[in-house]
Amino acid sequence: MNEQEFAELAAGAALDALSPDDQQRYHAALVANPQWQAIADDDVDTAGMLASGATPVVPGPGIRAALLARIAETPQDGRAIVSDSIPDTLPESNSAGAEDSADAEDSSSVADELESDDLAPGDPRAAATPKAPPHRLRILFTLAACLALLVGVGIGAVAVNDYLNRPASVIALQDIQAAGDAQQASVPLEGGGTATAHWSASLGTSVLVTDGVPSLADGETYELWYVRGETPISAGVFDADGGEATAVLAGDMHAGDVIAVTVEQAGGSPSGSPTTDPVVVIPTA
């Protein structure tokens, strides 16, 4: 990942608009390139400045209940409630004529209103000209308010959905970084990449972040290990997408464990022990 690609991800992260996959790429790139932290910080400051320019609006506590109640009482057969004083139904013999008459009156009112705008002040015709029914404006304002509410709810739902659907590895990494005893260590990879282990002894959790790890042949996978003394303990498998991966190690980490990675057959070592030399070795002591 180059600096321009990271800058695009950083802008999305500042707006909380990254997909789970992009969040994973963003964190991995930031870990592998700590000098890019300034880019991320600038984007966060810019997003905060833009947000501070908007006047905060706190919806009333009853707005949701009122909206749901209105939806519940609104007919679902195409009829519209214009006013509580208008009955839901009209006599069948007059309903068609009433609708035609109402349409004609509305059209006449709109035309008269347009004509009255052209009359000079003081013209007696202006005072006698009927205006458009005020309920039309109320309906327009109501629709606009509902649209704004629904748009706000939709944006909030996307943000909440993205937050709730974060990958387990990203959640674990964020938990580790928030821990008071968070530690990390990096080692170079063959071919110029890096592997960084993050861990917290108090949480008993560790995460491996790779950038530039070589792609494997079909039928192969990377397997994680805790090496405790002389005993390797499998901690799960992972695949690298485009050379990048963020993988949480399964099981509890113990103080002094060595985090290692080997190349195994798909699904992991069938014997439960490494079958190849490790390509990553990171001591945590």
Side-chain angles (χ1 to χ4, degrees):
M1 178 184 297
N2 58 39
E3 186 171 338
Q4 178 60 35
E5 292 172 332
F6 174 79
E8 294 175 357
L9 289 177
L15 297 173
D16 196 17
L18 294 182
S19 67
D21 289 341
D22 284 342
Q23 282 184 349
Q24 191 171 0
R25 295 178 59 227
Y26 168 72
H27 287 294
L30 190 57
V31 168
N33 301 276
Q35 70 275 16
W36 292 347
Q37 181 66 51
I39 299 175
D41 292 341
D42 287 343
D43 286 342
V44 171
D45 292 341
T46 300
M49 180 180 65
L50 293 174
S52 64
T55 303
V57 177
V58 179
I63 187 169
R64 181 176 182 275
L67 181 58
L68 292 177
R70 185 62 174 172
I71 292 173
E73 69 182 20
T74 300
Q76 304 300 308
D77 56 2
R79 292 182 290 118
I81 297 179
V82 177
S83 172
D84 294 337
S85 62
I86 298 178
D88 288 343
T89 59
L90 295 174
E92 294 183 359
S93 60
N94 296 327
S95 59
E99 291 175 359
D100 293 340
S101 176
D103 290 342
E105 290 176 2
D106 289 345
S107 299
S108 176
S109 298
V110 173
D112 290 341
E113 181 182 12
L114 292 176
E115 291 176 359
S116 67
D117 292 339
D118 297 331
L119 297 178
D123 192 312
R125 291 177 298 166
T129 302
K131 301 298 183 180
H135 71 262
R136 287 171 177 264
L137 296 178
R138 290 199 300 269
I139 292 174
L140 290 177
F141 280 121
T142 300
L143 290 176
C146 290
L147 179 60
L149 176 62
L150 292 176
V151 169
V153 170
I155 293 174
V158 171
V160 171
N161 183 66
D162 288 343
Y163 180 82
L164 294 178
N165 289 308
R166 292 172 297 164
S169 56
V170 172
I171 296 175
L173 180 58
Q174 293 173 343
D175 289 343
I176 291 172
Q177 292 173 336
D181 62 343
Q183 298 186 64
Q184 68 179 60
S186 299
V187 296
L189 297 175
E190 184 178 353
T194 59
T196 303
H198 299 258
W199 69 90
S200 164
S202 63
L203 297 178
T205 306
S206 63
V207 172
L208 183 72
V209 178
T210 64
D211 182 21
V213 66
S215 299
L216 297 178
D218 292 340
E220 292 182 333
T221 190
Y222 288 108
E223 185 160 4
L224 295 156
W225 305 89
Y226 282 129
V227 181
R228 195 162 296 155
E230 299 295 327
T231 305
I233 303 170
S234 177
V237 298
F238 71 93
D239 295 318
D241 182 12
E244 300 177 352
T246 302
V248 58
L249 279 74
D252 293 332
M253 174 194 170
H254 291 187
D257 282 351
V258 174
I259 296 174
V261 177
T262 60
V263 177
E264 305 291 345
Q265 69 181 48
S269 170
S271 65
S273 298
T275 62
T276 64
D277 292 334
V279 296
V280 174
V281 176
I282 303 177
T284 65

